[in-house]
Amino acid sequence: MTATPIVIDCDPGIDDAIALLTAFVSTELDIRAITPVCGNQPLERTVRNALTVCELAGRCDIPVHPGCFRPLFREPIHGQFHGRGGLGNAELPEPTKRAERRSAVDFLIEALEAAATGSRLTICCLGPMTNLAVALRMKPAIAAGIERVVMMGGAYREPGNRSLTSEFNVLADPHAAGIVFSSGVPIVALGLDVTHRVMLQPAHVARFGDMSGPIAKTIFDLMAFWDRNDVRRYGSRGGPLHDPLVIAYLLAPQLFRCERARVFVEHESELCMGQTVADWFGKTGGEANVEIATEVDAAVLELILGRLARYDAHVRA
Ligand code: BDR
Ligand code: CA
């Protein structure tokens, strides 16, 4: 089986870091690059965090291309649950690996131009979608090189997490999200409707406390910090595993049920800024442009934890 070529566009972030670690040990995936963006943390920090996670896992072979410093029009907002530096209390190695000189936008344009006549790339969006939106604006023809976008983004029937109506990644750059949604590329959206159903609970986290090796220890530290302790909202202790679901979808799409709809992003009203409004029944007369995940099988959590358990007793390369 040939591995699926992917680019991971992200803003690490605890759950981004867990998603990267899940992808690194999944041989079904061929990670061509990581393209950090301003999101959970300012760009300088998301780049550094991506580099340090690569270093920790011995994946310095993957190029890291720094992305956009700011959202398209709005002031930056940053994540609230990732700790001061974005990776909780985890102690990660000082990266010796350096970021590439070529920006994420230049990389995406060149890689997608090449892919348009070869094997198309899957773009995994785990943060605000500024990088991809700018690349699409500069060279719309690169859409032909995209196999599909699989994003963690939006809240379709579920209320928002960063505001009453809006999910963080879309709210952080609603204009970029609007460009991606209306680009005509195939899109799978994993929003809060499914990520709030996959709770990483203290018992799951404890498993990594019993493992040995520096990577398992870091996974334990990242996960332990992620507990929201908000039973009223989530129905249990723990934290929703947002970004790793994108990797899980690539590995086992049969664990998700998707419904097609046309998606609009609100960027006029301050109250509803970043809301993803889905036309489920063709009311607007437009074609559906997104596969929205509306149900997820609980087995997805064991899939992710099983991949991460491959780091047990793992010694850094
Ligand atoms: C998204 O927001 C970020 O804080 C997480 O990393 C995830 O990508 C969830 O709304
Ligand atoms: Ca993220």
Side-chain angles (χ1 to χ4, degrees):
M1 195 189 70
T2 50
T4 305
I6 67 170
V7 173
I8 305 184
D9 191 63
C10 56
D11 61 336
I14 290 180
D15 59 328
D16 301 77
I18 296 172
L20 287 170
L21 290 166
T22 309
F24 288 169
V25 283
S26 296
T27 50
E28 300 91 332
L29 306 175
D30 169 13
I31 309 169
R32 298 285 174 87
I34 298 170
T35 54
V37 69
C38 168
N40 280 319
Q41 293 279 309
L43 181 71
E44 195 179 77
R45 196 73 202 182
T46 59
V47 170
R48 187 189 184 281
N49 288 348
L51 292 170
T52 196
V53 173
C54 289
E55 188 101 18
L56 172 80
R59 291 305 309 265
C60 293
D61 56 305
I62 304 172
V64 173
H65 294 273
C68 296
F69 273 94
R70 293 174 62 86
L72 292 183
F73 297 112
R74 309 241 326 145
E75 287 301 309
I77 55 169
H78 301 304
Q80 292 173 317
F81 302 102
H82 303 260
R84 220 157 55 88
L87 296 178
N89 292 329
E91 285 170 25
L92 285 122
E94 189 59 37
T96 55
K97 179 176 169 58
R98 295 276 164 255
E100 305 296 315
R101 289 180 64 81
R102 198 157 40 134
S103 75
V105 172
D106 288 340
F107 166 79
L108 284 169
I109 290 173
E110 285 168 33
L112 290 170
E113 274 180 334
T117 53
S119 83
R120 289 196 298 260
L121 295 175
T122 294
I123 312 293
C124 304
C125 292
L126 312 184
M129 287 174 271
T130 323
N131 294 338
L132 183 56
V134 173
L136 283 164
R137 272 294 188 257
M138 286 185 73
K139 280 263 172 97
I142 62 171
I146 299 178
E147 175 69 19
R148 62 186 166 173
V149 170
V150 183
M151 67 167 73
M152 188 288 127
Y156 301 89
R157 293 184 176 125
E158 183 87 356
N161 59 354
R162 185 53 182 261
S163 73
L164 296 181
T165 59
S166 306
E167 182 280 322
F168 175 82
N169 289 339
V170 177
L171 178 63
D173 197 341
H175 301 88
I179 290 170
V180 173
F181 279 121
S182 58
S183 65
V185 303
I187 296 173
V188 177
L190 310 174
L192 302 182
D193 311 67
V194 286
T195 67
H196 281 178
R197 309 276 102 74
V198 183
M199 294 296 290
L200 185 68
Q201 296 177 355
H204 304 125
V205 179
R207 289 189 211 170
F208 292 85
D210 295 336
M211 293 179 191
S212 64
I215 307 176
K217 159 92 174 74
T218 301
I219 293 170
F220 174 78
D221 290 341
L222 291 169
M223 289 179 167
F225 196 90
W226 196 237
D227 188 350
R228 286 289 201 294
N229 207 355
D230 187 349
V231 177
R232 193 164 152 256
R233 165 130 211 198
Y234 297 113
S236 74
R237 275 279 305 273
L241 257 196
H242 302 291
D243 294 340
L245 285 203
V246 169
I247 307 304
Y249 179 87
L250 298 178
L251 300 174
Q254 71 279 8
L255 296 179
F256 296 80
R257 174 167 185 264
C258 292
E259 293 174 57
R260 289 185 62 76
R262 186 162 193 85
V263 172
F264 302 87
V265 180
E266 172 60 40
H267 36 63
E268 298 294 331
S269 139
E270 258 321 304
L271 181 65
C272 301
M273 181 66 67
Q275 182 173 10
T276 42
V277 182
D279 178 4
W280 301 101
F281 304 110
K283 288 259 184 220
T284 57
E287 288 284 304
N289 56 356
V290 184
E291 297 270 343
I292 301 172
T294 51
E295 284 176 38
V296 57
D297 189 316
V300 84
L301 184 57
E302 287 305 327
L303 170 66
I304 295 165
L305 297 179
R307 294 299 166 118
L308 292 169
R310 293 181 182 176
Y311 289 110
D312 188 10
H314 189 98
V315 177
R316 195 138 50 93

